[in-house]
């Protein structure tokens, strides 16, 4: 896609974001949060033997 093509789609994307919200950004944020939570849940460095 060229710069001209991208510029042509911007108004459509902008109107969808205004109407529906920025779904890709929200999805990315949710995925990052899930990754942080999973990393914390699977962090076995805090497990002490014999507890």
């Amino acid at each position: 896609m060229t710069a001209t093509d991208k510029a042509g789609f911007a108004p459509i994307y902008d109107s969808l974001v205004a109407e529906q919200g920025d779904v890709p950004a929200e999805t990315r944020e949710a995925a990052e949060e899930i990754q942080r939570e999973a990393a914390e849940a699977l962090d076995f460095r805090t497990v002490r033997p014999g507890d």
Side-chain angles (χ1 to χ4, degrees), residues 1 5 9 13 17 20 22 24 32-34 41 43-44 50:
M1 197 180 294
D5 293 336
F9 289 115
Y13 182 78
V17 168
Q20 302 292 325
D22 194 349
E32 289 169 354
E33 176 64 23
I34 291 168
D43 184 4
F44 295 108

Side-chain angles (χ1 to χ4, degrees), residues 20-47:
Q20 302 292 325
D22 194 349
V23 176
E26 293 171 11
T27 303
R28 190 170 27 259
E29 290 171 9
E32 289 169 354
E33 176 64 23
I34 291 168
Q35 286 178 329
R36 281 191 296 274
E37 291 175 6
E40 185 178 314
L42 297 173
D43 184 4
F44 295 108
R45 293 179 292 176
T46 59
V47 176

